[in-house]
């Protein structure tokens, strides 16, 4: 419990810092949007480029682990989208909700927890989980959000109805830095290139700002006064339950019974899936103005509850 709490504590501290500076008036109402745009257009693309540019694919190619964690993440994401679409939610909103349920906080919490729980041998599969989350699940969500937005625009006559939806979506995706950056980064190891030291320093400095700035932006958002939507508590509970219960259960079932993973890879996959919702969904929700209030609640509540659920899992396998 203590090791998990020590990893989670800086997350709460950054959220609280954002909440505090907004409440005492140090930062104004526009700070949330502007800080989030900095993350979306600069910091996070730098981080994604850096991750894929330094990925040693031969060392992290673990098909069973990729299957167990990747399929469980996508299954939870898809199930959530289907549930929310069945409840009448627009596709863009349902995609954000799916991200809330299937996007684990592998980057900020995964590495220190994996190191404490399983040692250095767990860092390679943790890297795989982070790449699958920030480049895979994230990319699928962006495609669905853009598709939903373009369909809505075409239906209301605001998006140039003569242009096919698939063409408008493709054009938007090609201009989206959160998809372009990791794609360009993957070309670096593929071509056998190495980044100059100055470029690496630039990427590390800029990319390192992504997680803390996103958490401060979350605190700024939570400090705003708003009226909770009817039924939001039920939806938040559903998404948190899918994230903290169904996601790790699926990862365990796939890893043990379908892919027959060795203990280290199996427990690492389950640990990554058991992590709370990361800041990526909030960045997209705030950027697209879709489900931001709900997403902030899910990130906060799942992070609080994960202290108990992750600690219980680690105690059970000790």
């Amino acid at each position: 419990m203590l090791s998990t709490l020590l990893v989670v504590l800086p997350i709460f501290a950054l959220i609280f810092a954002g909440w505090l500076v907004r409440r005492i008036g140090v930062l104004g109402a526009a700070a949330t949007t502007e800080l989030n745009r900095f993350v979306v257009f600069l910091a996070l693309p730098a981080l994604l480029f850096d991750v894929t540019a330094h990925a040693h694919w031969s060392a992290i190619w673990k098909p069973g682990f990729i299957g167990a964690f990747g399929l469980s993440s996508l299954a939870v994401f898809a199930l959530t989208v289907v549930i929310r679409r069945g409840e009448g939610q627009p596709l863009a909103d349902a995609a954000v909700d799916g991200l809330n349920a299937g996007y684990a906080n592998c980057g900020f919490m995964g590495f220190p927890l994996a190191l404490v729980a399983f040692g250095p041998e767990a860092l390679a599969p943790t890297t795989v989980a982070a790449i699958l989350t920030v480049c895979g699940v994230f990319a699928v969500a962006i495609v669905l959000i853009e598709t939903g937005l373009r369909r809505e625009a075409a239906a209301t006559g605001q998006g140039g109805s003569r242009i096919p939806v698939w063409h408008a979506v493709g054009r938007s995706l090609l201009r989206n830095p959160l998809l372009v950056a990791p794609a360009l980064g993957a070309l670096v190891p593929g071509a056998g290139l190495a980044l100059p030291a100055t470029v690496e320093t630039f990427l590390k400095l800029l990319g390192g700002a992504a997680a803390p700035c996103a958490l401060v932006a979350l605190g700024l958002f939570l400090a705003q006064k708003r009226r909770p939507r009817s039924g939001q508590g039920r939806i938040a509970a559903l998404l948190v339950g899918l994230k903290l219960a169904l996601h790790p259960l699926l990862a365990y079932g796939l890893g043990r019974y379908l892919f027959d993973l060795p203990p280290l890879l199996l427990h690492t996959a389950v640990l990554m899936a058991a992590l709370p919702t990361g800041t990526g969904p909030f960045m997209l929700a705030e950027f697209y103005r879709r489900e931001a209030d709900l997403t902030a609640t899910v990130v906060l509540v799942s992070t609080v509850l994960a202290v108990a659920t992750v600690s219980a899992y680690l105690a059970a396998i000790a």
Side-chain angles (χ1 to χ4, degrees):
M1 175 74 79
L2 181 59
S3 62
T4 306
L5 182 61
L6 291 176
V7 171
V8 173
L9 194 58
I11 295 177
F12 290 130
L14 286 166
I15 294 173
F16 176 73
W19 180 88
L20 183 63
V21 295
R22 177 69 184 95
R23 278 304 176 94
I24 65 177
V26 173
L27 294 178
T32 305
T33 299
E34 296 305 318
L35 186 57
N36 197 64
R37 289 179 68 85
F38 161 75
V39 173
V40 170
F41 283 100
L42 285 175
L44 187 56
L47 176 62
L48 295 176
F49 183 95
D50 190 38
V51 167
T52 55
H54 289 88
H56 301 290
W57 302 109
S58 59
I60 64 176
W61 176 244
K62 303 180 184 297
F65 182 90
I66 292 171
F69 181 79
L71 289 178
S72 64
S73 300
L74 290 174
V76 172
F77 173 87
L79 175 63
T80 307
V81 171
V82 170
I83 292 173
R84 297 297 284 143
R85 287 288 285 161
E87 294 176 344
Q89 283 294 98
L91 180 59
D93 293 40
V96 173
D97 293 340
L99 208 57
N100 281 323
Y103 187 104
N105 195 347
C106 298
F108 206 67
M109 292 180 62
F111 285 100
L113 271 179
L115 186 62
V116 169
F118 307 127
E121 297 83 4
L123 294 182
T126 301
T127 301
V128 176
I131 293 174
L132 290 172
T133 300
V134 300
C135 298
V137 181
F138 207 57
V140 173
I142 292 174
V143 170
L144 292 183
I145 292 171
E146 289 285 354
T147 302
L149 293 177
R150 296 299 166 177
R151 285 179 178 173
E152 291 176 18
T156 58
Q158 298 176 355
S161 56
R162 300 181 197 176
I163 302 176
V165 171
W166 65 266
H167 185 273
V169 171
R171 188 170 57 185
S172 296
L173 294 177
L174 288 175
R175 294 184 298 188
N176 192 311
L178 300 180
L179 293 181
V180 174
L184 291 178
L187 297 177
V188 175
L193 302 175
L195 297 175
T198 52
V199 174
E200 288 198 4
T201 302
F202 168 78
L203 291 173
K204 289 288 189 297
L205 289 172
L206 189 54
C213 286
L215 289 166
V216 171
L218 175 58
L220 290 168
F221 185 84
L222 291 171
Q224 298 175 10
K225 295 181 179 179
R226 64 182 65 83
R227 292 182 179 178
R229 271 184 352 196
S230 175
Q232 183 169 293
R234 177 190 66 82
I235 300 168
L238 169 67
L239 298 179
V240 171
L242 290 171
K243 180 69 209 70
L244 297 184
L246 182 60
H247 194 182
L249 283 173
L250 276 177
Y252 180 83
L254 290 170
R256 180 171 181 179
Y257 299 109
L258 182 59
F259 296 103
D260 193 24
L261 294 178
L264 175 65
L265 291 182
L266 174 63
H267 293 315
T268 304
V270 176
L271 175 62
M272 294 301 106
L275 294 174
T277 304
T279 55
F282 175 74
M283 284 184 275
L284 282 191
E286 170 64 18
F287 179 71
Y288 285 107
R289 294 289 191 268
R290 295 293 181 123
E291 302 284 72
D293 195 14
L294 174 63
T295 301
T297 301
V298 171
V299 172
L300 187 61
V301 172
S302 66
T303 302
V304 173
L305 294 180
V307 175
T309 57
V310 170
S311 297
Y313 176 72
L314 293 177
I317 64 175

